[in-house]
């Protein structure tokens, strides 16, 4: 299903350098499986595919209800409570699909302009809400939820509004859990032992995906298959190849990893991947900086830097070998544009050649490449791929010596923001940082 190829990095790195960390990786794998590594209380994602089986039926029923009663379903969440579902919906649905309700993601920014436009857009449309927040207290989704809950209650009355809201949150604690209890919303749990960015295969991802008509059973089966396949502790395991190669490149001074794809619908999969690896590895002054590019579009922008700029990056190309649909370039008798050498050739063939050409050019320029081949991207394969990346990320974090399941750095901006906005309890910090800002702007 997934193959990892390294032939485009050997000009920079010897196999012995890659192999040298094999024993350490095996040890890290044992720590993860035995639950004895840092953050082990958040490794429940390793078996989510089994744990979700009894709940999937209820998720699908809730999804059907929301879809049937709505022109638009608002999915409210940020970070791990947003990116997995967004990535999968974009990756798996046709580009211009009109099937089912429109799905609009909000609560992942604080743009008042966006909210005002959305309120106008909803004026003549029926809508429902799935609000997702593990903590139940994150500011961006909480403010968005308050806004659209108010709109929904004004439009339908409190009772009907409650039927149009489903909350996905912690089983016991948090403001959202309290609110859901008080108002009688249907709820789904974010398991205690699963952190946001590892939660796409829980109700966090599965409910929005079921609303969007995605085959969530197939997705869970794909993850199950991955969990069995990637147990193996050897070079034959694609997870091992990926983790060892990126680790060796990091120690060679390649401190930026770019996720590269050739399909615009994979843009948000790259965003999900960036959050997963960035938030998991970037701590204690360590970790690869993760970036992304969509080719061939970005070959006409970032391509220059990748080929010729600072030699501090490598690329990991996600190569989907067979597209869901394809098209041929038409023949033109006059050939005034000189393109008849491409006529009757498929777009996928042209893309493949662009990829092969780019791999060689970038390697020659000193930007090595890892290639991850996937036969075809359907729900099963994406479930498998999610698991592949999650396992690779957790093992990479352990190899680096960090806890890949926490995100202490995210708190810094939040504290300052609460202080500046006058949140009760933050008065003293507020005074101090207002003074600092005053000094800076003098
Ligand atoms: O990966 C994570 O844990 C974070 O990105 C969270 O998902 C994000 O901060 C949102 O948190 P919550 O679901 O508690 O609103």
């Amino acid at each position: 299903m997934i193959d990892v190829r390294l032939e485009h990095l050997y000009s920079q790195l010897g196999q012995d350098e890659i192999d040298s960390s094999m024993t350490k990786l095996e040890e890290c794998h044992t720590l993860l499986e035995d639950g004895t590594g840092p953050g082990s209380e958040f490794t429940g994602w390793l078996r989510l595919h089994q744990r979700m089986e009894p709940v999937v039926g209820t998720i699908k029923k809730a999804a059907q209800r929301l879809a049937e009663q709505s022109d638009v379903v608002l999915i409210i969440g940020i970070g791990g409570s947003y990116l997995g579902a967004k990535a999968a919906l974009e990756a798996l649905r046709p580009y211009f699909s009109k099937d089912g309700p429109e799905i609009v993601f909000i609560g992942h920014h604080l743009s008042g302009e966006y909210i005002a436009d959305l309120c106008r857009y909803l004026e003549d449309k029926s809508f429902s809400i799935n609000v997702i927040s593990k903590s139940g207290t994150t500011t961006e989704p909480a403010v968005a939820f308050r806004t659209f809950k108010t709109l929904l209650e004004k439009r339908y009355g409190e009772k009907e509004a409650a039927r149009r809201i489903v909350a996905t949150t912690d089983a016991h604690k948090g403001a959202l859990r309290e609110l859901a209890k008080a108002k009688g919303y249907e709820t789904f749990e974010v398991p205690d032992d699963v952190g946001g960015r590892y939660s796409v295969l829980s109700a966090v991802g599965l409910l929005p995906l079921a609303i969007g008509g995605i085959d969530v059973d197939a997705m869970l089966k794909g993850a199950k298959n991955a969990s069995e396949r990637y147990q193996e502790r050897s070079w034959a395991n694609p997870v091992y190849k990926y983790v060892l190669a990126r680790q060796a490149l990091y120690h060679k001074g390649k401190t930026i990893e770019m996720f590269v794809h050739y399909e615009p619908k994979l843009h948000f999969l790259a965003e999900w991947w960036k959050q997963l690896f960035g938030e998991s590895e970037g701590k204690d002054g360590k970790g690869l900086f993760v970036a992304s590019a969509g080719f061939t579009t970005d070959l006409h922008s970032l391509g220059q830097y990748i080929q010729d700029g600072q030699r501090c990056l490598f690329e990991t190309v996600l190569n989907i070998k067979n597209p869901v649909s394809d098209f041929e370039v038409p023949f033109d008798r006059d050939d005034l544009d000189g393109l008849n050498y491409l006529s009757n050739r498929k777009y996928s063939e042209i893309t493949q050649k662009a990829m092969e050409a780019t791999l060689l050019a970038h390697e020659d320029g000193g930007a090595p490449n890892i290639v991850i081949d996937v036969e075809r991207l359907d729900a099963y394969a994406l479930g498998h791929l999610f698991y592949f990346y999650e396992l690779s990320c957790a093992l990479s974090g352990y190899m680096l010596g960090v806890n890949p399941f926490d995100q202490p750095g995210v708190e810094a901006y939040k504290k300052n923001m609460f202080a500046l906005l006058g949140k009760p309890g933050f008065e003293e910090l507020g005074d101090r940082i207002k003074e600092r800002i005053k000094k800076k702007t003098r």
Side-chain angles (χ1 to χ4, degrees):
M1 164 128 317
I2 286 181
D3 198 15
V4 172
R5 289 191 282 127
L6 304 180
E7 69 266 22
H8 291 286
L9 57 73
Y10 287 126
S11 51
Q12 301 272 323
L13 211 59
Q15 184 65 46
D16 50 331
E17 289 172 275
I18 303 176
D19 287 344
S20 63
S21 303
M22 179 63 107
T23 311
K24 188 171 175 196
L25 179 53
E26 284 168 359
E27 284 163 13
C28 291
H29 203 167
T30 304
L31 285 182
L32 185 69
E33 283 290 342
D34 292 357
T36 45
S40 58
E41 64 279 23
F42 291 110
T43 51
W45 53 271
L46 279 165
R47 289 176 236 301
L48 262 182
H49 47 277
Q50 285 160 357
R51 294 163 63 188
M52 290 314 292
E53 263 169 32
V55 196
V56 167
T58 326
I59 290 179
K60 287 198 275 194
K61 263 194 210 140
Q64 196 183 351
R65 191 183 83 241
L66 294 185
E68 278 171 4
Q69 66 193 7
S70 321
D71 297 323
V72 177
V73 181
L74 303 180
I75 309 290
I76 302 180
I78 193 168
S81 292
Y82 152 59
L83 282 163
K86 176 74 178 168
L89 281 170
E90 294 274 321
L92 296 177
R93 299 214 296 185
Y95 279 105
F96 304 102
S97 170
K98 284 233 181 290
D99 289 348
E102 185 181 357
I103 296 179
V104 176
F105 286 86
I106 53 168
H108 56 282
H109 55 69
L110 289 164
S111 164
E113 188 176 335
Y114 190 97
I115 298 295
D117 285 0
L118 180 56
C119 285
R120 265 193 299 278
Y121 183 68
L122 291 174
E123 267 166 20
D124 58 352
K125 294 173 185 68
S126 58
F127 72 101
S128 306
I129 296 174
N130 174 209
V131 54
I132 309 164
S133 176
K134 182 175 180 184
S135 62
T137 52
T138 309
T139 311
E140 292 90 336
V143 171
F145 181 52
R146 178 188 278 208
T147 307
F148 288 95
K149 171 175 73 71
T150 307
L151 192 66
L152 205 57
E153 286 175 350
K154 265 194 204 143
R155 170 101 55 101
Y156 298 100
E158 260 202 52
K159 203 165 158 217
E160 175 57 17
R163 274 184 28 79
R164 288 173 172 269
I165 295 172
V166 177
T168 308
T169 189
D170 185 274
H172 311 288
K173 52 183 193 300
L176 182 57
R177 171 59 61 184
E178 292 308 313
L179 190 60
K181 234 188 268 168
K183 298 267 189 178
Y185 305 149
E186 181 171 15
T187 57
F188 290 99
E189 288 174 19
V190 188
D192 277 351
D193 55 358
V194 179
R197 58 191 176 276
Y198 292 83
S199 69
V200 58
L201 297 170
S202 74
V204 170
L206 297 183
L207 179 56
L209 292 175
I211 293 168
I214 303 300
D215 184 348
V216 291
D217 297 307
M219 192 168 256
L220 291 171
K221 276 192 196 129
K224 178 172 184 282
N225 173 269
S227 77
E228 288 158 3
R229 179 156 179 227
Y230 302 137
Q231 294 279 332
E232 192 178 338
R233 289 160 201 228
S234 80
W235 183 246
N237 181 344
V239 168
Y240 273 48
K241 277 194 196 167
Y242 180 42
V243 172
L244 289 171
R246 67 195 293 284
Q247 176 79 9
L249 286 163
Y250 174 65
H251 289 299
K252 267 237 140 138
K254 302 289 184 192
T255 54
I256 299 174
E257 179 178 13
M258 293 193 76
F259 180 114
V260 165
H261 61 84
Y262 283 80
E263 192 63 61
K265 53 159 63 174
L266 298 182
H267 174 83
F268 277 95
L269 186 62
E271 295 302 306
W272 172 84
W273 173 89
K274 282 194 282 194
Q275 192 225 350
L276 179 68
F277 279 82
E279 223 167 49
S280 299
E281 287 190 300
K283 51 195 74 155
D284 305 338
K286 299 189 240 182
L288 282 157
F289 181 80
V290 281
S292 64
F295 289 171
T296 60
T297 313
D298 288 332
L299 287 174
H300 298 258
S301 63
L302 291 174
Q304 172 59 39
Y305 191 103
I306 298 168
Q307 185 71 43
D308 224 8
Q310 263 197 68
R311 302 297 69 199
C312 56
L313 61 84
F314 69 95
E315 296 162 281
T316 300
V317 181
L318 179 61
N319 174 35
I320 309 299
K321 288 166 82 176
N322 300 293
V324 174
S325 55
D326 211 346
F327 210 77
E328 279 178 9
V329 177
F331 173 75
D332 186 321
R333 209 180 35 202
D334 299 330
D335 197 26
L336 294 176
D337 52 12
L339 285 177
N340 267 355
Y341 78 102
L342 293 177
S343 60
N344 304 323
R345 292 168 85 172
K346 292 200 162 109
Y347 271 73
S348 59
E349 183 198 338
I350 302 172
T351 304
Q352 201 60 31
K353 297 299 167 212
M355 187 184 84
E356 285 168 22
T358 308
L359 283 169
L360 286 177
H362 287 183
E363 186 189 4
D364 291 346
N369 274 265
I370 300 172
V371 181
I372 299 177
D373 288 322
V374 175
E375 275 310 313
R376 178 184 293 274
L377 199 61
D378 52 20
Y380 182 88
L382 188 57
H384 187 106
L385 197 57
F386 276 139
Y387 195 95
F388 168 85
Y389 282 128
E390 286 171 357
L391 182 59
S392 301
C393 181
L395 291 174
S396 296
Y398 278 0
M399 294 284 279
L400 265 183
V402 300
N403 175 354
F405 308 115
D406 66 0
Q407 55 283 331
V410 180
E411 294 310 309
Y413 101 89
K414 283 191 197 168
K415 275 192 207 141
N416 288 351
M417 179 178 79
F418 292 151
L420 286 172
L421 287 170
K423 185 170 175 172
F426 289 81
E427 294 81 359
E428 205 192 306
L429 179 61
D431 291 343
R432 266 189 283 131
I433 62 175
K434 277 180 205 150
E435 196 48 42
R436 277 183 65 195
I437 291 173
K438 221 191 270 167
K439 275 191 195 148
K440 282 184 188 294
T441 49
R442 240 175 240 154

